PDB file of all heavy atoms in Angstrom:
ATOM      1  N   MET F   6       8.548   2.451 -59.798  1.00 96.00           N
ATOM      2  CA  MET F   6       8.187   3.862 -59.796  1.00 96.00           C
ATOM      3  C   MET F   6       6.659   4.033 -59.853  1.00 96.00           C
ATOM      4  O   MET F   6       6.089   4.934 -59.225  1.00 96.00           O
ATOM      5  CB  MET F   6       8.838   4.605 -60.959  1.00 96.00           C
ATOM      6  CG  MET F   6      10.364   4.682 -60.850  1.00 96.00           C
ATOM      7  SD  MET F   6      10.933   5.395 -59.276  1.00 96.00           S
ATOM      8  CE  MET F   6      10.269   7.052 -59.373  1.00 96.00           C
ATOM      9  N   ASN F   7       5.974   3.177 -60.606  1.00 97.00           N
ATOM     10  CA  ASN F   7       4.512   3.225 -60.625  1.00 97.00           C
ATOM     11  C   ASN F   7       3.925   2.983 -59.235  1.00 97.00           C
ATOM     12  O   ASN F   7       2.943   3.627 -58.838  1.00 97.00           O
ATOM     13  CB  ASN F   7       3.935   2.182 -61.610  1.00 97.00           C
ATOM     14  CG  ASN F   7       4.128   2.577 -63.045  1.00 97.00           C
ATOM     15  OD1 ASN F   7       4.352   3.732 -63.374  1.00 97.00           O
ATOM     16  ND2 ASN F   7       4.071   1.570 -63.934  1.00 97.00           N
ATOM     17  N   THR F   8       4.523   2.060 -58.511  1.00 96.00           N
ATOM     18  CA  THR F   8       4.070   1.771 -57.139  1.00 96.00           C
ATOM     19  C   THR F   8       4.304   2.986 -56.256  1.00 96.00           C
ATOM     20  O   THR F   8       3.420   3.360 -55.460  1.00 96.00           O
ATOM     21  CB  THR F   8       4.770   0.539 -56.573  1.00 96.00           C
ATOM     22  OG1 THR F   8       4.525  -0.572 -57.425  1.00 96.00           O
ATOM     23  CG2 THR F   8       4.274   0.217 -55.168  1.00 96.00           C
ATOM     24  N   ILE F   9       5.451   3.633 -56.375  1.00 96.00           N
ATOM     25  CA  ILE F   9       5.715   4.844 -55.572  1.00 96.00           C
ATOM     26  C   ILE F   9       4.676   5.912 -55.876  1.00 96.00           C
ATOM     27  O   ILE F   9       4.120   6.525 -54.983  1.00 96.00           O
ATOM     28  CB  ILE F   9       7.137   5.362 -55.832  1.00 96.00           C
ATOM     29  CG1 ILE F   9       8.156   4.434 -55.165  1.00 96.00           C
ATOM     30  CG2 ILE F   9       7.300   6.804 -55.318  1.00 96.00           C
ATOM     31  CD1 ILE F   9       9.597   4.804 -55.431  1.00 96.00           C
ATOM     32  N   HIS F  10       4.391   6.124 -57.164  1.00 97.00           N
ATOM     33  CA  HIS F  10       3.397   7.145 -57.560  1.00 97.00           C
ATOM     34  C   HIS F  10       2.012   6.785 -56.989  1.00 97.00           C
ATOM     35  O   HIS F  10       1.272   7.659 -56.562  1.00 97.00           O
ATOM     36  CB  HIS F  10       3.348   7.298 -59.063  1.00 97.00           C
ATOM     37  CG  HIS F  10       4.617   7.881 -59.646  1.00 97.00           C
ATOM     38  ND1 HIS F  10       5.156   9.091 -59.209  1.00 97.00           N
ATOM     39  CD2 HIS F  10       5.442   7.447 -60.589  1.00 97.00           C
ATOM     40  CE1 HIS F  10       6.259   9.348 -59.871  1.00 97.00           C
ATOM     41  NE2 HIS F  10       6.466   8.363 -60.721  1.00 97.00           N
ATOM     42  N   GLU F  11       1.680   5.490 -57.009  1.00 96.00           N
ATOM     43  CA  GLU F  11       0.397   5.055 -56.450  1.00 96.00           C
ATOM     44  C   GLU F  11       0.347   5.311 -54.946  1.00 96.00           C
ATOM     45  O   GLU F  11      -0.674   5.772 -54.440  1.00 96.00           O
ATOM     46  CB  GLU F  11       0.193   3.557 -56.734  1.00 96.00           C
ATOM     47  CG  GLU F  11      -1.123   3.009 -56.264  1.00 96.00           C
ATOM     48  CD  GLU F  11      -2.320   3.532 -57.067  1.00 96.00           C
ATOM     49  OE1 GLU F  11      -2.153   3.922 -58.241  1.00 96.00           O
ATOM     50  OE2 GLU F  11      -3.436   3.579 -56.494  1.00 96.00           O
ATOM     51  N   PHE F  12       1.430   5.013 -54.240  1.00 97.00           N
ATOM     52  CA  PHE F  12       1.494   5.293 -52.794  1.00 97.00           C
ATOM     53  C   PHE F  12       1.280   6.793 -52.535  1.00 97.00           C
ATOM     54  O   PHE F  12       0.516   7.169 -51.660  1.00 97.00           O
ATOM     55  CB  PHE F  12       2.829   4.856 -52.242  1.00 97.00           C
ATOM     56  CG  PHE F  12       2.914   3.433 -51.774  1.00 97.00           C
ATOM     57  CD1 PHE F  12       2.400   2.395 -52.543  1.00 97.00           C
ATOM     58  CD2 PHE F  12       3.522   3.113 -50.570  1.00 97.00           C
ATOM     59  CE1 PHE F  12       2.489   1.078 -52.118  1.00 97.00           C
ATOM     60  CE2 PHE F  12       3.605   1.790 -50.133  1.00 97.00           C
ATOM     61  CZ  PHE F  12       3.108   0.771 -50.931  1.00 97.00           C
ATOM     62  N   ILE F  13       1.977   7.617 -53.327  1.00 96.00           N
ATOM     63  CA  ILE F  13       1.872   9.065 -53.125  1.00 96.00           C
ATOM     64  C   ILE F  13       0.452   9.540 -53.412  1.00 96.00           C
ATOM     65  O   ILE F  13      -0.088  10.344 -52.659  1.00 96.00           O
ATOM     66  CB  ILE F  13       2.917   9.795 -54.021  1.00 96.00           C
ATOM     67  CG1 ILE F  13       4.320   9.525 -53.514  1.00 96.00           C
ATOM     68  CG2 ILE F  13       2.624  11.287 -54.078  1.00 96.00           C
ATOM     69  CD1 ILE F  13       5.424   9.984 -54.442  1.00 96.00           C
ATOM     70  N   SER F  14      -0.169   9.036 -54.470  1.00 97.00           N
ATOM     71  CA  SER F  14      -1.525   9.473 -54.817  1.00 97.00           C
ATOM     72  C   SER F  14      -2.523   9.096 -53.734  1.00 97.00           C
ATOM     73  O   SER F  14      -3.548   9.745 -53.570  1.00 97.00           O
ATOM     74  CB  SER F  14      -1.963   8.917 -56.162  1.00 97.00           C
ATOM     75  OG  SER F  14      -2.232   7.521 -56.080  1.00 97.00           O
ATOM     76  N   ARG F  15      -2.202   8.067 -52.972  1.00 96.00           N
ATOM     77  CA  ARG F  15      -3.074   7.629 -51.865  1.00 96.00           C
ATOM     78  C   ARG F  15      -2.624   8.189 -50.511  1.00 96.00           C
ATOM     79  O   ARG F  15      -3.122   7.778 -49.480  1.00 96.00           O
ATOM     80  CB  ARG F  15      -3.119   6.114 -51.805  1.00 96.00           C
ATOM     81  CG  ARG F  15      -3.783   5.477 -52.986  1.00 96.00           C
ATOM     82  CD  ARG F  15      -3.790   3.988 -52.869  1.00 96.00           C
ATOM     83  NE  ARG F  15      -4.452   3.389 -54.008  1.00 96.00           N
ATOM     84  CZ  ARG F  15      -4.881   2.141 -54.020  1.00 96.00           C
ATOM     85  NH1 ARG F  15      -4.732   1.377 -52.965  1.00 96.00           N
ATOM     86  NH2 ARG F  15      -5.452   1.672 -55.103  1.00 96.00           N
ATOM     87  N   ASN F  16      -1.637   9.069 -50.571  1.00 97.00           N
ATOM     88  CA  ASN F  16      -1.071   9.680 -49.352  1.00 97.00           C
ATOM     89  C   ASN F  16      -0.518   8.638 -48.384  1.00 97.00           C
ATOM     90  O   ASN F  16      -0.665   8.733 -47.172  1.00 97.00           O
ATOM     91  CB  ASN F  16      -2.126  10.571 -48.660  1.00 97.00           C
ATOM     92  CG  ASN F  16      -1.476  11.578 -47.735  1.00 97.00           C
ATOM     93  OD1 ASN F  16      -0.348  12.011 -47.974  1.00 97.00           O
ATOM     94  ND2 ASN F  16      -2.169  11.924 -46.679  1.00 97.00           N
ATOM     95  N   MET F  17       0.113   7.605 -48.962  1.00 95.00           N
ATOM     96  CA  MET F  17       0.707   6.541 -48.157  1.00 95.00           C
ATOM     97  C   MET F  17       2.196   6.806 -47.956  1.00 95.00           C
ATOM     98  O   MET F  17       2.851   7.436 -48.768  1.00 95.00           O
ATOM     99  CB  MET F  17       0.515   5.182 -48.860  1.00 95.00           C
ATOM    100  CG  MET F  17      -0.946   4.773 -48.999  1.00 95.00           C
ATOM    101  SD  MET F  17      -1.199   3.328 -50.064  1.00 95.00           S
ATOM    102  CE  MET F  17      -0.346   2.051 -49.154  1.00 95.00           C
ATOM    103  N   PHE F  18       2.732   6.296 -46.861  1.00 94.00           N
ATOM    104  CA  PHE F  18       4.139   6.437 -46.512  1.00 94.00           C
ATOM    105  C   PHE F  18       5.024   5.632 -47.449  1.00 94.00           C
ATOM    106  O   PHE F  18       4.768   4.459 -47.682  1.00 94.00           O
ATOM    107  CB  PHE F  18       4.347   5.978 -45.067  1.00 94.00           C
ATOM    108  CG  PHE F  18       5.748   6.092 -44.587  1.00 94.00           C
ATOM    109  CD1 PHE F  18       6.345   7.324 -44.427  1.00 94.00           C
ATOM    110  CD2 PHE F  18       6.491   4.953 -44.273  1.00 94.00           C
ATOM    111  CE1 PHE F  18       7.652   7.439 -43.956  1.00 94.00           C
ATOM    112  CE2 PHE F  18       7.786   5.052 -43.805  1.00 94.00           C
ATOM    113  CZ  PHE F  18       8.361   6.309 -43.660  1.00 94.00           C
ATOM    114  N   ILE F  19       6.048   6.255 -48.029  1.00 92.00           N
ATOM    115  CA  ILE F  19       6.969   5.557 -48.936  1.00 92.00           C
ATOM    116  C   ILE F  19       8.367   5.445 -48.394  1.00 92.00           C
ATOM    117  O   ILE F  19       9.292   5.080 -49.106  1.00 92.00           O
ATOM    118  CB  ILE F  19       6.998   6.236 -50.334  1.00 92.00           C
ATOM    119  CG1 ILE F  19       7.508   7.661 -50.219  1.00 92.00           C
ATOM    120  CG2 ILE F  19       5.647   6.161 -51.006  1.00 92.00           C
ATOM    121  CD1 ILE F  19       7.853   8.278 -51.571  1.00 92.00           C
ATOM    122  N   GLY F  20       8.565   5.730 -47.106  1.00 91.00           N
ATOM    123  CA  GLY F  20       9.897   5.702 -46.533  1.00 91.00           C
ATOM    124  C   GLY F  20      10.446   4.298 -46.267  1.00 91.00           C
ATOM    125  O   GLY F  20      11.637   4.152 -46.029  1.00 91.00           O
ATOM    126  N   GLU F  21       9.626   3.290 -46.336  1.00 88.00           N
ATOM    127  CA  GLU F  21      10.091   1.921 -46.140  1.00 88.00           C
ATOM    128  C   GLU F  21      10.168   1.239 -47.505  1.00 88.00           C
ATOM    129  O   GLU F  21       9.138   0.843 -48.081  1.00 88.00           O
ATOM    130  CB  GLU F  21       9.138   1.152 -45.219  1.00 88.00           C
ATOM    131  CG  GLU F  21       9.124   1.629 -43.794  1.00 88.00           C
ATOM    132  CD  GLU F  21      10.413   1.293 -43.070  1.00 88.00           C
ATOM    133  OE1 GLU F  21      11.085   0.311 -43.435  1.00 88.00           O
ATOM    134  OE2 GLU F  21      10.734   2.029 -42.123  1.00 88.00           O
ATOM    135  N   ASP F  22      11.372   1.086 -48.025  1.00 89.00           N
ATOM    136  CA  ASP F  22      11.509   0.528 -49.341  1.00 89.00           C
ATOM    137  C   ASP F  22      11.017  -0.909 -49.449  1.00 89.00           C
ATOM    138  O   ASP F  22      10.558  -1.346 -50.495  1.00 89.00           O
ATOM    139  CB  ASP F  22      12.946   0.641 -49.860  1.00 89.00           C
ATOM    140  CG  ASP F  22      13.922  -0.168 -49.014  1.00 89.00           C
ATOM    141  OD1 ASP F  22      13.662  -0.411 -47.834  1.00 89.00           O
ATOM    142  OD2 ASP F  22      14.980  -0.561 -49.568  1.00 89.00           O
ATOM    143  N   GLN F  23      11.067  -1.667 -48.343  1.00 88.00           N
ATOM    144  CA  GLN F  23      10.604  -3.056 -48.387  1.00 88.00           C
ATOM    145  C   GLN F  23       9.097  -3.116 -48.667  1.00 88.00           C
ATOM    146  O   GLN F  23       8.639  -3.999 -49.376  1.00 88.00           O
ATOM    147  CB  GLN F  23      10.905  -3.753 -47.059  1.00 88.00           C
ATOM    148  CG  GLN F  23      12.391  -3.986 -46.823  1.00 88.00           C
ATOM    149  CD  GLN F  23      12.948  -4.983 -47.816  1.00 88.00           C
ATOM    150  OE1 GLN F  23      12.317  -5.952 -48.170  1.00 88.00           O
ATOM    151  NE2 GLN F  23      14.187  -4.718 -48.272  1.00 88.00           N
TER     152      GLN F  23
END
Side-chain angles (χ1 to χ4, degrees):
M6 294 306 297
N7 286 340
T8 302
I9 288 176
H10 294 305
E11 183 69 26
F12 272 44
I13 291 170
S14 73
R15 293 180 179 196
N16 201 29
M17 296 170 64
F18 180 66
I19 62 168
E21 292 290 334
D22 65 333
Q23 291 293 322

